Amino acid sequence: AQKVTQAQTEISVVEKEDVTLDCVYETRDTTYYLFWYKQPPSGELVFLIRRNSFDEQNEISGRYSWNFQKSTSSFNFTITASQVVDSAVYFCALRGIYNQGGKLIFGQGTELSVKP
Amino acid sequence: DAGVIQSPRHEVTEMGQEVTLRCKPISGHDYLFWYRQTMMRGLELLIYFNNNVPIDDSGMPEDRFSAKMPNASFSTLKIQPSEPRDSAVYFCASSLLQRETQYFGPGTRLLVL
């Protein structure tokens, strides 16, 4: 079975603080993809990043960075110097290649609130 | 480039009525997915199509739900008859290949009274 766990339901920080959103996954697939999506208050789902299981390099995009560790089955997301506009619900998702037809399995989401 | 387009953005209807949600995927994408988001169940896949053919509809909750994709640029999700527990946000997403990133539409917020 495939599963994504985002243990942090809600996080509240003050602007300019760094914040890390945790994501732990389970899969029997040897080839799989991991994703992060952002859902701002307006409701749409915005794609942030995709990572395949063969690439464990960390990635940085501006204030965003991602730490993928296969040894701990984690794909954590860090926002540096958070801003009010970062307030949103963030979803981690997993997509296996062979099991379950490649369905995208979402975690329950972490609601981030950045206060001025 | 236009993203995934969904209509209507909001729908309010009464129990028992038929509801039709519409989706236009990104041009050239050959996978289309319908998801439902609720507070209780989070984001769940209802059905997905490949080249207009339904591949997996195991997530469709009941026979009251049906989905079609008559051509590569249009899909519908129909609920007949609707019930209050169908109230949710329904998202459509598309991707170029099965392993590629899914891009989501803005969603349709459905309220069944």
Side-chain angles (χ1 to χ4, degrees):
Chain A
Q2 298 186 106
K3 185 179 178 181
V4 176
T5 301
Q6 295 179 255
Q8 305 149 307
T9 304
E10 297 178 7
I11 299 177
S12 182
V13 299
V14 177
E15 205 170 21
K16 296 185 183 178
E17 284 185 22
D18 298 347
V19 58
T20 296
L21 282 59
D22 298 333
C23 173
V24 175
Y25 63 92
E26 297 175 27
T27 181
R28 293 181 181 175
D29 280 327
T30 55
T31 301
Y32 53 89
Y33 294 86
L34 295 164
F35 303 80
W36 277 94
Y37 286 85
K38 174 182 180 180
Q39 187 172 39
S42 51
E44 70 271 27
L45 278 163
V46 179
F47 164 72
L48 295 178
I49 189 172
R50 180 183 77 149
R51 215 82 184 120
N52 73 54
S53 52
F54 297 114
D55 184 0
E56 287 194 69
Q57 281 191 328
N58 291 333
E59 178 144 347
I60 298 175
S61 176
R63 297 183 297 107
Y64 294 172
S65 62
W66 291 269
N67 184 356
F68 175 31
Q69 291 194 342
K70 286 181 75 171
S71 61
T72 56
S73 297
S74 65
F75 186 42
N76 296 337
F77 173 29
T78 298
I79 302 175
T80 303
S82 59
Q83 299 177 1
V84 173
V85 294
D86 296 327
S87 296
V89 180
Y90 291 86
F91 292 94
C92 181
L94 165 70
R95 190 175 196 181
I97 296 300
Y98 302 111
N99 289 331
Q100 300 188 355
K103 287 181 182 180
L104 196 59
I105 307 298
F106 284 89
Q108 287 299 306
T110 296
E111 183 172 5
L112 174 65
S113 176
V114 182
K115 302 187 185 306
Chain B
D1 289 340
V4 176
I5 298 172
Q6 290 186 249
S7 65
R9 294 293 307 277
H10 302 272
E11 177 81 29
V12 180
T13 190
E14 292 186 348
M15 184 174 63
Q17 296 298 306
E18 178 179 296
V19 175
T20 299
L21 311 181
R22 297 172 177 79
C23 175
K24 176 179 170 55
I26 293 173
S27 177
H29 282 191
D30 52 6
Y31 280 83
L32 183 139
F33 305 81
W34 282 100
Y35 289 87
R36 179 172 67 176
Q37 185 179 32
T38 61
M39 289 296 293
M40 291 298 295
R41 300 175 66 89
L43 274 157
E44 52 182 347
L45 177 67
L46 300 177
I47 185 172
Y48 77 92
F49 295 83
N50 174 218
N51 291 324
N52 314 335
V53 177
I55 303 301
D56 184 351
D57 65 355
S58 60
M60 297 285 263
E62 300 173 33
D63 291 344
R64 298 184 296 107
F65 286 70
S66 63
K68 294 182 179 179
M69 192 164 185
N71 57 63
S73 59
F74 183 66
S75 176
T76 59
L77 178 67
K78 187 175 294 187
I79 309 172
Q80 167 63 18
S82 58
E83 296 183 4
R85 59 195 168 115
D86 301 331
S87 298
V89 180
Y90 291 81
F91 287 100
C92 177
S94 70
S95 68
L96 182 57
L97 295 170
Q98 187 179 36
R99 63 177 180 271
E100 295 294 327
T101 299
Q102 292 179 26
Y103 293 93
F104 285 76
T108 294
R109 190 173 296 274
L110 173 65
L111 177 61
V112 183
L113 302 174

